[in-house]
Amino acid sequence: HPQDHADAAKEVAESEEMPNRPTADRKTPPERDPQFAHLELGGLREYRATLTHEESRVSYWRRIIQARLDIVISGGSTTVDDLRGVFAERAPSTRRTALVEVMPVDDMPPLPDLADLWSREPDPTDEASIDKLVEELTNAEKQLSAYRSALHRQLAAATSELIARYREQPDLCLSALPVAPGANRISI
């Protein structure tokens, strides 16, 4: 059945992309990870939220770089100024620095200067400058993909740690619920 093959292919792709990703069919529950021992529950949640935000930002930049690469390769006459409104985003934040302060990120590759790379306009009559931009955009896309994969691994590890803590102490998950203004939180 074609749908079964599509589902199997998707499952393989997801497992290869994020091998540490927690899944509902996992036979053994996640265990505590010593790399997170220094983080209180709130810090772990904040770290996971930071990773999620950073992954969104990296995915966004990756799509921008891929679009720019497609335009340069196609020889399109669309300029960066034409696209600026479509891809409007504020300057890259310092979120990555915040990640380094919380957890070591040894497996996260360095990122190129994306804003400079995005805005570069090659001379349309100079094949060498076009080829150089294509090469640099391709390398940037590869670096962003590697960084995104590293973020996925860290996100999976942080999620597994949260699950392990919640399994040990189910009441901990109640502390994540919002509290109405003026209400007292029940201490656990």
Side-chain angles (χ1 to χ4, degrees), residues 100-146:
V100 174
E101 292 171 9
V102 175
M103 295 291 296
V105 287
D106 298 333
D107 66 341
M108 295 189 183
L111 297 178
D113 183 351
L114 299 173
D116 174 61
L117 192 55
W118 155 257
S119 64
R120 194 172 313 151
E121 291 280 356
D123 178 351
T125 63
D126 182 3
E127 277 299 315
S129 72
I130 293 171
D131 290 346
K132 181 175 169 42
L133 182 57
V134 166
E135 179 182 344
E136 290 178 14
L137 286 166
T138 300
N139 288 336
E141 194 278 331
K142 287 177 184 177
Q143 288 175 301
L144 285 165
S145 292

Side-chain angles (χ1 to χ4, degrees), residues 14-29:
E14 287 176 351
S15 68
E16 288 174 358
E17 184 176 319
M18 296 182 1
N20 298 328
R21 188 175 134 211
T23 60
D25 62 344
R26 180 179 278 190
K27 300 281 188 251
T28 58

Side-chain angles (χ1 to χ4, degrees), residues 141-164:
E141 194 278 331
K142 287 177 184 177
Q143 288 175 301
L144 285 165
S145 292
Y147 181 44
R148 186 169 172 256
S149 292
L151 285 168
H152 284 177
R153 286 189 299 275
Q154 287 296 318
L155 188 55
T159 300
S160 291
E161 177 68 14
L162 272 175
I163 292 168

Side-chain angles (χ1 to χ4, degrees), residues 13-128:
E14 287 176 351
S15 68
E16 288 174 358
E17 184 176 319
M18 296 182 1
N20 298 328
R21 188 175 134 211
T23 60
D25 62 344
R26 180 179 278 190
K27 300 281 188 251
T28 58
E31 294 181 12
R32 296 286 301 265
D33 188 334
Q35 75 170 321
F36 298 108
H38 70 286
L39 290 175
E40 295 290 328
L41 185 61
L44 181 59
R45 286 182 183 141
E46 186 176 321
Y47 173 64
R48 191 175 174 286
T50 300
L51 287 169
T52 300
H53 179 272
E54 180 71 353
E55 195 281 333
S56 293
R57 192 180 70 85
V58 169
S59 291
Y60 179 84
W61 267 108
R62 187 169 162 253
R63 287 189 303 272
I64 287 175
I65 295 297
Q66 287 170 334
R68 182 78 171 107
L69 181 59
D70 289 344
I71 290 168
V72 172
I73 288 173
S74 73
S77 61
T78 305
T79 67
V80 171
D81 287 334
D82 296 335
L83 297 172
R84 210 171 289 283
V86 176
F87 292 117
E89 183 192 57
R90 64 178 201 264
S93 70
T94 57
R95 297 287 269 191
R96 187 164 186 199
T97 306
L99 288 177
V100 174
E101 292 171 9
V102 175
M103 295 291 296
V105 287
D106 298 333
D107 66 341
M108 295 189 183
L111 297 178
D113 183 351
L114 299 173
D116 174 61
L117 192 55
W118 155 257
S119 64
R120 194 172 313 151
E121 291 280 356
D123 178 351
T125 63
D126 182 3
E127 277 299 315

